[in-house]
């Protein structure tokens, strides 16, 4: 069974530029998550989708971050414009139905460096 | 809102020695508890989880954890570590009755196994 796929694996941009990350969850998983992991910290949830609807985006900085999951499968996370403090690893995860007891399966992440 | 505290940011340990990683959480509601491991340049992988029932939970790779409700702790243990256990370990919680499946992570504990 294929795992969660993410691309690109690494990205370096200058501040004020825009960037987009892509995630393809495990086939059949209804729930998709985007986490931000700053160096030395645990992951922090940015947004959770259930199919193509948003369940929780309370910690998403909506003035610069956006995410979509139009067909309820793959998803894109965008940052525009990027700031230095956005340097982090962006992890995508998926789970079967999105209940509290569900295991979340994580992709390898995209490491973003903002110069 | 819940929070997770991992008391040790780094734990050096010799090969074949035991290791314990401490995790304490704070929540006003009942929670599920998880331990994830992150190997270098990889995503997170579930080690074990506590949902209900027996407070001693066994996971993969010889790890186990014990849920202590009165002390709000979920410490992770392994009786004999291998070099391959060198990684970062994250404790996480999710609310049992929340509509979503938001995981709140601790700051992580980096384990370095020495020969």
């Amino acid at each position: 069974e294929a795992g969660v796929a993410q691309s690109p694996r690494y990205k370096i941009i200058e501040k004020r530029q825009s960037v987009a990350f892509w995630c393809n969850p495990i086939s059949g998983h209804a729930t998709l998550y985007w986490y931000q992991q700053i160096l030395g910290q645990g992951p922090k949830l940015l947004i959770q989708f259930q199919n193509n609807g948003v369940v929780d985006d309370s910690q998403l900085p909506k003035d610069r971050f956006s995410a979509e999951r139009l067909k309820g499968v793959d998803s894109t996370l965008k940052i525009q414009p990027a700031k230095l403090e956005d340097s982090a690893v962006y992890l995508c995860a998926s789970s079967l139905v999105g209940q509290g007891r569900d295991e979340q399966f994580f992709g390898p992440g995209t490491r973003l460096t903002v110069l | 809102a819940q929070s997770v505290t991992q008391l040790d940011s780094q734990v050096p340990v010799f090969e074949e020695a035991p290791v314990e990683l401490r995790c304490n959480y704070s929540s006003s509601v009942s929670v599920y508890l998880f331990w994830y491991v992150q190997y270098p340049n990889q995503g997170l992988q579930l080690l074990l989880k506590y949902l209900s029932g027996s407070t001693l939970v066994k996971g993969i790779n010889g790890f186990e954890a014990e849920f202590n409700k009165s002390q709000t702790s979920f410490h992770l243990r392994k009786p004999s570590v291998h070099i391959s256990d060198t990684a970062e370990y994250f404790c996480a919680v999710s609310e049992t009755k929340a509509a979503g499946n938001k995981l709140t992570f601790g700051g992580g504990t980096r384990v370095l196994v020495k020969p």
Side-chain angles (χ1 to χ4, degrees), chain A residues 7 11 16 19 29 35 40 44 47 49 71 95 106 111:
Chain A
S7 67
K11 189 74 176 179
R16 291 188 288 273
V19 65
H29 280 194
Y35 289 87
K44 180 184 80 172
I47 188 167
F49 291 96
K71 297 183 180 178
S95 67
F106 286 80
R111 183 178 298 276

Side-chain angles (χ1 to χ4, degrees), chain B:
Chain B
Q2 59 261 48
S3 65
V4 179
T5 302
Q6 293 182 241
L7 297 166
D8 306 297
S9 59
Q10 292 190 67
V11 173
V13 58
F14 286 105
E15 194 174 14
E16 298 183 6
V19 70
E20 178 180 80
L21 309 184
R22 296 179 292 168
C23 172
N24 287 88
Y25 69 93
S26 172
S27 179
S28 57
V29 298
S30 61
V31 296
Y32 299 122
L33 295 148
F34 305 82
W35 274 99
Y36 282 85
V37 61
Q38 187 174 35
Y39 299 104
N41 297 315
Q42 295 186 27
L44 282 72
Q45 178 184 2
L46 182 68
L47 276 178
L48 48 79
K49 59 184 177 182
Y50 173 79
L51 303 181
S52 65
S54 172
T55 58
L56 183 62
V57 180
K58 293 190 182 300
I60 62 171
N61 300 341
F63 284 94
E64 64 180 31
E66 186 154 20
F67 170 54
N68 187 317
K69 188 174 182 179
S70 62
Q71 296 187 4
T72 60
S73 68
F74 190 53
H75 300 334
L76 180 72
R77 302 184 185 93
K78 185 170 182 177
S80 176
V81 296
H82 301 142
I83 295 290
S84 58
D85 293 321
T86 294
E88 189 149 23
Y89 294 79
F90 292 95
C91 181
V93 302
S94 68
E95 294 183 5
T96 61
K97 298 190 186 307
N101 188 20
K102 176 182 175 180
L103 281 174
T104 299
F105 286 88
T109 298
R110 190 172 298 274
V111 173
L112 176 59
V113 181
K114 302 177 181 180

Side-chain angles (χ1 to χ4, degrees), chain A residues 80-102:
Chain A
Q80 182 179 10
K83 293 185 175 182
L84 296 177
E85 59 261 36
D86 298 331
S87 293
V89 175
Y90 291 85
L91 295 166
C92 180
S94 69
S95 67
L96 197 55
V97 293
Q99 294 179 354
R101 58 177 52 227
D102 278 356

Side-chain angles (χ1 to χ4, degrees), chain A:
Chain A
E1 177 183 278
V4 176
Q6 290 188 248
S7 67
R9 291 294 312 275
Y10 305 91
K11 189 74 176 179
I12 301 174
I13 62 173
E14 295 190 350
K15 59 183 179 183
R16 291 188 288 273
Q17 287 187 324
S18 62
V19 65
F21 313 127
W22 176 81
C23 172
N24 194 28
I26 292 173
S27 177
H29 280 194
T31 311
L32 185 147
Y33 316 78
W34 283 102
Y35 289 87
Q36 180 192 57
Q37 185 179 17
I38 293 172
L39 186 65
Q41 299 181 19
K44 180 184 80 172
L45 180 71
L46 292 176
I47 188 167
Q48 176 185 345
F49 291 96
Q50 183 77 13
N51 296 309
N52 60 353
V54 175
V55 175
D56 185 348
D57 63 356
S58 57
Q59 298 190 96
L60 187 73
K62 298 181 185 63
D63 57 334
R64 298 183 300 105
F65 285 65
S66 65
E68 59 184 16
R69 194 185 184 200
L70 293 177
K71 297 183 180 178
V73 181
D74 57 346
S75 175
T76 302
L77 176 70
K78 296 179 181 177
I79 308 175
Q80 182 179 10
K83 293 185 175 182
L84 296 177
E85 59 261 36
D86 298 331
S87 293
V89 175
Y90 291 85
L91 295 166
C92 180
S94 69
S95 67
L96 197 55
V97 293
Q99 294 179 354
R101 58 177 52 227
D102 278 356
E103 177 180 353
Q104 295 185 24
F105 294 84
F106 286 80
T110 296
R111 183 178 298 276
L112 174 67
T113 302
V114 182
L115 303 176

